[in-house]
């Protein structure tokens, strides 16, 4: 099959979160299964762009409202990522350093989508499947089915994967002229609550919808930021497919980002050395259990609970542990986390910002990783942690529920709690400190979690089955 993934992010070209990891990895596994895979993203001005060679694949143009835009499609020359990576450039809109958070994101991502559909419409052949990811690409199924200029793509099956339903790309109906001329009888497909809602539109128009874990799919029927009724109505074509991890990139035996490589055979010693390095760099005591948090400092991740949790734990349980936080996001949380370093020097430290290398060192050197998320569609951190022998401590939600079993349960290996509350997290830290003191149990758990297979193999096949279900016999 010829599969086209369209996304705002793709690792290692441009990464903000898990979406990039998935779009950078799933295609590799689909290639291994014998399919022909292309990934298309905006031409963000990142290091990867400047460090690689590109060929111009196509040039075109389109009207968006009263403005004409030229676009260029370029392709990475060396095929370094195995799959074909294409970038879309639109002067004045996509030539930016960051992936998101510009005032004109609506124009930027609508234009990106128009360019992608326009380009595909110029091909001599049609792909077997167009796979779109999240709301930034959510108008594509509609454009392919209902925009007059692209009506010859109407029969090409489209798949939507929802990595996060909190963000939906809402746009005012005043901007409906950004979308190429469409069959106005179909306006209802664009609408949700008197706004154009690209995510809702994709749920309505795509042939199949998937989310990144089965539990999250269930949860969307009752908690989907306003789209609950839509998920109930469209449930017949929805399914949850758990994300995998790239076991080549995330491999403690070969990881070039970490100080000391190790396997499940020498995990205790390997982790100890990596922890020593981290603790030296961040002025922490390497003899205490080390708890980490890595991620966006936003409400979804319950990052706002971290300052109080750290402070309560160190006061109530005593100085029996240390914490290291890596992340960026909400300014108030960033400031609180920075401020705390003064109060708990030697037991707590933080690094505000994005740092891929440090994140690897943290997965390798930590004993426990905290994930108290209020919403977690899949979550990759817990799977990376398992691979590095770090015990995940997660709230029972979404993909966290599907990938972590509490060590108190038969066959369990992690720590689970029910509420995103300071009390629940602190209590779990208490359990973790007790567990850490049982060195034999910790050694056994490390070995056990490192052997868990969260690779993409199985999930990649499930996506292929989903595509096959959309092919006309
Ligand atoms: P989300 O996509 O909701 O942010 P995921 O758990 O699916 O969460 O994916 C997060 C990915 O981003 C992981 O690879 C994690 O290691 C990485 N990450 C998040 N924040 C940072 C950061 N500040 N520095 C380095 N890596 C980060």
């Amino acid at each position: 099959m010829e599969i086209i993934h369209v996304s705002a992010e793709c690792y290692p070209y441009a990464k903000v979160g898990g979406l990039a990891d998935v779009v950078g990895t799933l295609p590799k596994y689909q290639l291994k299964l014998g399919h022909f895979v292309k990934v298309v993203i905006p031409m963000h001005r990142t290091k990867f762009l400047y460090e690689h060679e590109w060929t111009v694949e196509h040039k075109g143009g389109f009207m968006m409202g009263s403005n004409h835009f030229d676009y260029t499609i370029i392709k990475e020359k060396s095929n370094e990522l195995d799959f074909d990576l294409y970038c879309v450039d639109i002067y004045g809109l996509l030539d930016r350093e960051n992936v998101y958070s510009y005032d004109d994101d609506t124009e930027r991502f609508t234009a990106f989508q128009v360019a992608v559909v326009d380009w595909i419409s110029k091909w001599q052949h049609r792909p077997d499947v167009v796979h779109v990811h999240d709301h930034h690409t959510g108008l594509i199924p509609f454009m392919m089915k209902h925009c007059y200029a692209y009506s010859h793509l109407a029969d090409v099956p489209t798949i939507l994967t929802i990595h996060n339903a909190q963000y939906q790309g809402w746009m005012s109906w005043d901007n409906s002229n950004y979308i190429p001329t469409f069959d106005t009888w179909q306006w209802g497909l664009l609408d949700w609550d008197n706004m154009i809602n690209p995510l809702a539109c994709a749920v309505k128009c795509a042939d199949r919808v998937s989310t990144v874990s089965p539990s999250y799919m269930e949860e969307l029927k009752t908690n989907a930021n306003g789209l609950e009724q839509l998920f109930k109505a469209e449930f017949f074509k929805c399914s949850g497919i758990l994300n995998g991890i790239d076991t080549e990139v995330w491999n403690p035996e070969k990881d070039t980002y970490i100080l000391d490589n190790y396997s499940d055979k020498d995990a205790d010693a390997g982790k100890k050395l990596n922890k020593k390095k981290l603790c030296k760099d961040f002025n922490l005591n390497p003899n205490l259990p080390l708890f980490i948090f890595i991620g966006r400092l936003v409400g979804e991740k319950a990052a706002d609970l971290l300052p109080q949790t750290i402070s309560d734990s160190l006061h109530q349980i005593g100085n029996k542990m240390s914490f290291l936080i890596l992340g960026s996001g909400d300014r108030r949380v960033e400031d609180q986390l920075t401020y705390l370093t003064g109060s708990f020097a030697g037991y707590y430290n933080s690094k505000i910002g994005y740092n891929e290398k440090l994140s690897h060192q943290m997965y390798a050197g930590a004993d426990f990783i905290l994930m108290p998320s209020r919403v977690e569609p899949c979550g990759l951190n817990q799977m990376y942690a398992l691979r590095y022998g770090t015990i995940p401590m997660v709230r029972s939600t979404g993909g966290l529920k599907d990938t972590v079993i509490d060590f108190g349960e038969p066959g369990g290996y992690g720590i689970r709690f029910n509420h995103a509350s300071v009390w629940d997290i602190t209590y779990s830290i208490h359990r973790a400190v007790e567990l850490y003191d049982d060195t034999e149990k910790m050694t056994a758990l490390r070995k056990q979690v490192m052997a868990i297979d969260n690779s993409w193999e199985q999930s990649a096949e499930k996506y292929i089955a989903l595509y096959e279900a959309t092919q006309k016999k």
Side-chain angles (χ1 to χ4, degrees), residues 25 28 34 54 86 91 111-112 124 142 150 155 188 190 216 239 266 305 314 359 382 402 406 411 420 446 448 456:
T25 314
K28 288 192 204 170
W54 304 82
Y86 295 86
Y91 179 70
F112 166 62
Q124 300 293 318
F142 178 87
Y150 308 124
D155 287 338
L190 292 166
Y216 187 57
S239 56
D266 58 350
L305 303 179
L314 287 167
S359 77
Q382 79 281 15
D402 293 340
D406 191 274
R446 281 190 190 121
Q448 182 183 350
W456 264 106

Side-chain angles (χ1 to χ4, degrees), residues 15 17-18 21 295-296 301 326-327 353-355 363 379-381 384:
K15 171 169 165 178
D21 289 345
R296 294 179 294 120
K301 305 280 180 198
L326 168 63
Y354 189 92
N355 190 327
Y363 288 116
L380 293 170
N381 297 18
Y384 297 145

Side-chain angles (χ1 to χ4, degrees), residues 178-244:
Y178 288 177
I179 302 168
T181 312
F182 57 90
D183 177 359
T184 47
W185 285 97
Q186 304 297 340
W187 72 271
L189 293 171
L190 292 166
D191 187 80
W192 194 261
D193 270 347
N194 300 321
M195 298 282 284
I196 295 178
N197 184 319
L199 189 75
C201 176
V203 173
K204 294 181 208 178
C205 296
D207 294 277
R208 290 287 188 284
V209 176
S210 71
T211 59
V212 289
S213 71
S215 288
Y216 187 57
M217 187 77 256
E218 270 306 311
E219 286 169 13
L220 287 179
K221 286 195 272 184
T222 51
N223 182 10
N225 205 4
L227 302 186
E228 298 78 10
Q229 295 309 322
L230 178 63
F231 283 108
K232 279 184 193 157
E234 301 282 354
F235 213 67
F236 67 98
K237 64 175 181 187
C238 297
S239 56
I241 302 178
L242 200 61
N243 283 339

Side-chain angles (χ1 to χ4, degrees), residues 390-404:
T390 298
I391 308 298
M393 300 177 56
V394 306
R395 186 170 97 79
S396 295
T397 187
L400 298 176
K401 207 158 110 183
D402 293 340
T403 50
V404 178

Side-chain angles (χ1 to χ4, degrees), residues 293 295-308 310 325-341 348 350-352 374:
F293 173 96
R296 294 179 294 120
L297 301 174
V298 294
E300 270 173 71
K301 305 280 180 198
D304 49 302
L305 303 179
L306 291 173
Q308 187 73 43
I310 292 164
I325 311 285
L326 168 63
S328 61
D330 186 334
R331 272 303 291 274
R332 211 174 47 95
V333 179
E334 288 183 0
D335 290 347
Q336 286 175 345
L337 287 170
T338 307
Y339 178 77
L340 265 193
T341 50
Y348 161 74
S350 65
K351 179 89 184 163
I352 303 302
R374 293 190 175 91

